[in-house]
Amino acid sequence: MIHIVDEAKRCLQCKNPLCTKGCPAATQVNTFIRLLLEGNIKGAGELLFENNPLSLICSYVCDHEKQCEGHCILGKKGKSVHISSIENYISGYYLNLKKDIELIQDKGKVAIIGSGPAGITIAILLAKKGYSVTIFEAMDKVGGVMRYGIPDFRLPKTVLDQYNQMLFDLGIKVRPNTTIGMGGITLDDLFRDDYKAVFVGTGVWKPNSLGIKGESLGNVHFAINYLKNPDVYNLGKTLTIIGAGNAAIDVARTAIRKGVENVTIFFRKGEEHLTSSKYEVEYAKIDGIKFDFYKSPVEITDEGVIFADSVVHDPDDDSTIEVLANTDKLYHCDSTIIAISQGPRNFIASTTYGLELNERGLIKTNKEGSTSRPGVFASGDVVTGAKTVVEAMHVSKTVAKAIEEYIESIEK
C-alpha cells in the first residue's frame, strides 16, 4: 500500500506543472499536495471539489497513466508521483466531512434528466447557486454509467452512495425509475410545470451491434446490458468477448469473478491499438484473461464465434482493415459478449418537438451545451458519444454556467 505522505513528498512542486496540463479538468495537483503536506487537508479537499465535484470518483476511474501521472516530470526517468492515490485520500476525507449547508433555493426550478457524471455535476453546481433541482433517473439508483457500467472492483458502489447523500444534503430531489419520453412524462410536461430549464444527460445505453449473422442467438449478449446486472447471466465456462475498450476489460474481469473459467478478448487490431487503459489490460492479464489479436468476427454460432485473420493498413482508419480470405476458424465458447461501445436510445428526441440530432443520433449542441430548443441543454455521452467521467464533468461545468445565464436572461 502506498504511504500517502511519502508519496506526496516526492512531488517536485514544479512551477509549470505538466500534471495539471495533462488533466482534462486542469486539477491543481501541486497545490492540493502542498496543502496536504502543510496539514490543511480540508483546504486540499475543498480545492479539489470546487474544481471537480466528481474528484473522488475520478481518483478511481480516470486513465491516470495518460493524464496527470503520465505527464509527471518524474516519470520521464523513473516513477511518477501516484497522484490518484493522494487525490483519493484527500477527496474521500473531504466528502465525509459534515458541512453546514445553508441554501436558499429561490432562483427557479431546473430539471436534470439522467444522473450520470454530467447530470450529477450540473445538479450540484446549480443547487449550490440557489436553484431548486430535480433529477429524473431511469434506473433505481443515481450514478448512471458509473453505477451500472463500471464494476465494483474499479469503483465501489459505496462511493456513489456518498454522492447520493450529498445530493440529498444539497436539497436536490431525485425521482428514480422515471424515464422522460416514455412512461407518462415528456419534456414538454416539465416546462408546463414551471421548470425554467431542462438538462439532458441521459448517456448512451443502446449497444452497438456488429451487423453479422448470429447476434440474436440466446448465448450472445451486449456488454452494457451484462454490466448492469451480471448476476442474472449464466455464461457457462468459456466466454468470448469482442471489443477493445474498457467495457470489454470490465466484462472480462467481472466474468472471471462470477465463475467463468476461460475468458478471451478478441480484437481486430494489435495490442498496441487497444483503447482500454494500459493498467486495466495488465490487471486483466493477471486475472487470467487471454487476448487474441488481428481477428475479425465473421459469424456467431451456437458453438462459438467464427473469426477471420485481419491486417491493419492504417490503425486510425477502421475502413482499411483487411479481412483475409480463407482464414475463417471457429473458436468454441459457451457465450459471447459484444463490447463495441453504445449509442443513444432517443426516448426524449422521439417525443420532443424541435430537438435536433446528428447523423449518429446524438443531440446537437453549441459549445455551451444549448440545443436547438430554447431552455434545453445537454452534455456528456448523449452529445459526444461514450467518453470518460472527467471529460463529461469538465464540459458540464461550462453548461451549468450557460443554464444559469439563460435563466437570468428570461427572468429579466
Side-chain angles (χ1 to χ4, degrees):
M1 180 177 178
I2 291 175
H3 193 290
I4 299 302
V5 175
D6 287 346
E7 197 65 16
K9 288 179 178 178
R10 294 182 59 233
C11 176
L12 298 178
Q13 290 294 312
C14 302
K15 292 183 179 179
N16 184 27
L18 298 179
C19 51
T20 295
K21 292 183 178 181
C23 173
T27 301
Q28 298 177 44
V29 176
N30 57 342
T31 304
F32 79 69
I33 289 179
R34 176 175 54 77
L35 289 171
L36 173 69
L37 293 176
E38 290 174 351
N40 188 5
I41 187 172
K42 183 178 179 180
E46 186 174 3
L47 177 77
L48 281 166
F49 184 82
E50 291 300 317
N51 177 67
N52 175 6
L54 304 184
S55 175
L56 180 57
I57 292 171
C58 289
S59 72
Y60 283 99
V61 302
C62 270
D63 196 353
H64 301 103
E65 67 268 27
K66 292 182 181 178
Q67 297 170 353
C68 56
E69 293 173 13
H71 286 73
C72 176
I73 192 69
L74 290 176
K76 296 188 180 299
K77 293 185 178 180
K79 185 179 179 182
S80 301
V81 174
H82 211 281
I83 298 167
S84 55
S85 294
I86 303 171
E87 180 181 18
N88 180 273
Y89 186 86
I90 296 171
S91 297
Y93 175 92
Y94 183 75
L95 212 61
N96 282 318
L97 287 179
K98 294 295 182 183
K99 306 173 188 68
D100 295 325
I101 301 174
E102 294 183 8
L103 296 174
I104 301 174
Q105 296 176 333
D106 59 355
K107 291 187 177 180
K109 295 192 294 186
V110 178
I112 306 290
I113 305 175
S115 65
I120 288 181
T121 298
I122 290 179
I124 291 172
L125 295 176
L126 292 181
K128 291 177 68 178
K129 289 284 189 175
Y131 293 91
S132 176
V133 178
T134 298
I135 293 175
F136 297 85
E137 172 53 50
M139 305 294 190
D140 60 337
K141 295 182 179 180
V142 300
V145 70
M146 298 181 295
R147 182 180 291 275
Y148 296 100
I150 301 177
D152 194 67
F153 56 80
R154 275 222 295 141
L155 178 62
K157 299 298 184 285
T158 52
V159 172
L160 298 171
D161 293 339
Q162 286 179 273
Y163 275 88
N164 186 60
Q165 181 62 45
M166 181 197 298
L167 298 177
F168 178 79
D169 292 341
L170 287 170
I172 297 167
K173 303 177 184 70
V174 178
R175 286 188 60 164
N177 300 314
T178 305
T179 302
I180 304 300
M182 63 179 295
I185 301 177
T186 66
L187 194 144
D188 291 329
D189 294 332
L190 298 176
F191 285 111
R192 177 202 65 193
D193 292 341
D194 298 324
Y195 288 93
K196 302 298 183 182
V198 176
F199 171 77
V200 181
T202 48
V204 284
W205 293 94
K206 180 182 177 182
N208 291 337
S209 62
L210 292 164
I212 62 176
K213 184 178 179 181
E215 284 184 282
S216 68
L217 297 178
N219 61 345
V220 181
H221 313 284
F222 291 105
I224 192 64
N225 296 336
Y226 174 74
L227 289 171
K228 283 182 190 175
N229 190 0
D231 290 331
V232 303
Y233 290 80
N234 187 347
L235 301 177
K237 294 182 178 181
T238 305
L239 172 65
T240 286
I241 298 171
I242 303 172
N246 281 327
I249 301 293
D250 286 345
V251 167
R253 298 185 66 202
T254 300
I256 285 286
R257 284 160 173 77
K258 297 298 179 181
V260 180
E261 296 177 6
N262 299 296
V263 178
T264 304
I265 293 175
F266 289 81
F267 184 38
R268 297 184 299 169
K269 303 177 186 178
E271 182 170 4
E272 67 275 17
H273 302 127
L274 286 170
T275 57
S276 49
S277 161
K278 175 185 174 183
Y279 287 167
E280 291 302 316
V281 172
E282 291 175 350
Y283 277 124
K285 291 179 178 179
I286 291 172
D287 286 345
I289 293 155
K290 302 178 182 67
F291 291 81
D292 206 333
F293 299 105
Y294 298 106
K295 295 289 186 293
S296 291
V298 175
E299 179 182 344
I300 305 174
T301 73
D302 288 317
E303 290 73 39
V305 183
I306 298 173
F307 287 95
D309 294 340
S310 56
V311 175
V312 180
H313 297 288
D314 182 356
D316 298 321
D317 185 357
D318 287 351
S319 66
T320 68
I321 297 176
E322 179 185 358
V323 179
L324 301 180
N326 303 316
T327 61
D328 292 10
K329 179 181 176 181
L330 174 65
Y331 291 77
H332 291 275
C333 62
D334 297 316
S335 296
T336 301
I337 292 183
I338 300 166
I340 56 168
S341 196
Q342 302 84 234
R345 283 177 170 165
N346 290 339
F347 293 139
I348 294 174
S350 62
T351 59
T352 301
Y353 172 77
L355 198 59
E356 291 185 19
L357 309 177
N358 66 17
E359 65 281 356
R360 296 169 58 195
L362 301 169
I363 297 176
K364 283 186 176 182
T365 70
N366 64 11
K367 292 181 180 180
E368 286 74 42
S370 296
T371 70
S372 55
R373 179 165 175 173
V376 180
F377 298 79
S379 70
D381 292 355
V382 76
V383 172
T384 61
K387 296 287 186 180
T388 64
V389 171
V390 69
E391 287 172 319
M393 181 287 306
H394 183 58
V395 172
S396 296
K397 288 171 64 177
T398 300
V399 179
K401 185 177 180 181
I403 292 173
E404 188 177 3
E405 291 174 350
Y406 168 78
I407 294 176
E408 289 175 352
S409 71
I410 64 173
E411 293 291 292
K412 292 180 179 179

